[in-house]
Amino acid sequence: MPPKPSKFRKLKPRNPNQKPVPIRFRGSSSLSAVKTVGTVTRDSNTVLTPAGPFPKDKVHLVPKGARVHHAKDVVQVIGADGTILHSSPISKSAGQARTSAGTKPATSVTRDGLVAYCHWHNTDTDDYISNFSTAWTVPNPPHKDNGQTIYIYNALCSDADIFSDDCDVLQPTLQYGETDAGGGSYWAIASWYYSGDDYYISNLVQVSCDDRLVGIMTMTDIDYYDPEPTYSWNITFSGYPDTSLNIDTYDQFPYALECLEIYDCKDSDNLPNGTTQMESILLQTGYWCPDLSWTTSSDSTDDISVTVVEDGIDGCVDINYPS
């Protein structure tokens, strides 16, 4: 459910002259330059996440019932009874911390993994995104298992420079393969929250081919009594309560994305067949649902693409795998 109307600020008229800012990804700006799709270099101190290789000690499982509270200078995991379970000071050099844990910055390696996506930018800072959901069906498993990892997700981002030090990302994510959340040679779902220095994850739940998924991000409350407004969010998959992840943050999320991200895929047999249709896309800003118009980016060299089937409310985009 969207936040209570009484929590919203009075909305201002849209500015028709304001231009959307294109999404940016650190690393190679040309996905067509990737030869071996999504190959990454990791060492024993790193684990794979939807932001690429990440230091092990920077990835945190959030127990069921706990919440992540992101203030200006610290991110805390707070238990259901109010106990502080984890506390991470916010560093001014998060990218440097990640670089020291592996051979390359995660933000650079990741761009070889994000092979196809589409995005929409909400340019009205007063009429902010409050709900974003997408439905899709779990694909058949890849024909060959090569130790690859596949992520399929819808996401909200606080900055155009996704996975940068200053960007927060909400991600209800379907994965194939093993990550720090767990997993293996099967499909599973979890909710992820990226916050500059650290990654926070819900429990991982195994799912089966042809299961219907709905990834949902909902703003549940706004607290105006802090020095800055604090926005409360829930990330989850409908019908899978163990994937629920609650977040408090001062950030807004003006960028919406639909993504395919892959690692260690040597050929097309390491991917599903056909198409994954990201459909029934619903995005709410304030009291209403805007008429979305998606911008796409694809990996033409490896015959991986995202195509817009239908813009607007209840829209649909296709993730197309190599034939």
Side-chain angles (χ1 to χ4, degrees):
M1 296 293 292
K4 297 177 182 178
S6 61
K7 294 289 184 180
F8 283 106
R9 290 173 288 184
K10 184 177 180 181
L11 306 182
K12 295 180 180 180
R14 290 183 174 273
N15 178 2
N17 298 316
Q18 187 172 4
K19 303 297 182 182
V21 177
I23 202 82
R24 299 186 299 275
F25 296 93
R26 295 213 171 172
S28 173
S29 59
S30 174
L31 293 175
S32 63
V34 179
K35 301 302 182 184
T36 302
V37 177
T39 299
V40 297
T41 303
R42 302 191 293 273
D43 59 27
S44 59
N45 296 318
T46 61
V47 292
L48 195 58
T49 74
F54 221 79
K56 282 184 178 180
D57 62 352
K58 294 291 187 179
V59 182
H60 315 286
L61 176 65
V62 180
K64 189 174 181 179
R67 66 187 307 108
V68 183
H69 184 79
H70 182 187
K72 280 291 187 182
D73 57 352
V74 67
V75 181
Q76 295 177 324
V77 178
I78 303 174
D81 61 356
T83 303
I84 297 176
L85 306 176
H86 169 81
S87 185
S88 292
I90 296 176
S91 169
K92 295 182 179 180
S93 56
Q96 295 177 7
R98 289 196 296 271
T99 303
S100 64
T103 58
K104 293 181 180 179
T107 47
S108 177
V109 177
T110 301
R111 299 309 99 226
D112 291 341
L114 188 63
V115 291
Y117 63 92
C118 63
H119 77 277
W120 178 79
H121 179 205
N122 178 33
T123 58
D124 193 325
T125 57
D126 286 316
D127 201 4
Y128 37 75
I129 295 174
S130 57
N131 187 75
F132 180 37
S133 63
T134 301
W136 70 98
T137 300
V138 179
N140 288 325
H143 182 64
K144 292 181 181 178
D145 193 324
N146 188 55
Q148 72 270 35
T149 302
I150 303 168
Y151 296 109
I152 302 171
Y153 56 87
N154 56 329
L156 288 175
C157 304
S158 65
D159 192 87
D161 199 357
I162 185 173
F163 296 124
S164 67
D165 303 348
D166 297 324
C167 184
D168 279 17
V169 185
L170 312 180
Q171 298 167 276
T173 301
L174 172 67
Q175 71 173 56
Y176 180 91
E178 187 173 354
T179 72
D180 198 54
S185 299
Y186 53 84
W187 292 105
I189 54 175
S191 295
W192 297 72
Y193 170 55
Y194 172 91
S195 183
D197 287 12
D198 296 80
Y199 239 128
Y200 301 88
I201 55 177
S202 72
N203 291 310
L204 189 74
V205 178
Q206 186 171 347
V207 293
S208 301
C209 299
D210 296 325
D211 282 353
R212 180 74 164 175
L213 304 176
V214 183
I216 306 171
M217 290 152 282
T218 304
M219 187 190 295
T220 58
D221 200 3
I222 307 174
D223 184 358
Y224 289 113
Y225 294 100
D226 286 343
E228 292 189 47
T230 300
Y231 307 94
S232 296
W233 285 85
N234 178 256
I235 317 168
T236 193
F237 281 92
S238 178
Y240 296 90
D242 284 347
T243 66
S244 180
L245 186 60
N246 292 307
I247 309 296
D248 300 324
T249 177
Y250 60 86
D251 279 320
Q252 295 183 25
F253 296 88
Y255 295 91
L257 299 95
E258 308 281 354
C259 300
L260 170 66
E261 193 166 339
I262 59 180
Y263 298 93
D264 299 319
C265 290
K266 305 302 182 183
D267 55 46
S268 59
D269 284 340
N270 295 154
L271 292 169
N273 294 323
T275 295
T276 296
Q277 193 162 80
M278 311 294 281
E279 58 186 339
S280 301
I281 298 173
L282 177 65
L283 187 145
Q284 183 178 351
T285 56
Y287 300 110
W288 70 302
C289 296
D291 191 14
L292 303 180
S293 180
W294 294 98
T295 301
T296 64
S297 180
S298 301
D299 179 6
S300 58
T301 296
D302 294 299
D303 197 24
I304 302 171
S305 66
V306 168
T307 55
V308 177
V309 178
E310 184 175 357
D311 280 320
I313 300 171
D314 197 27
C316 176
V317 299
D318 282 351
I319 297 174
N320 305 298
Y321 307 107
S323 56

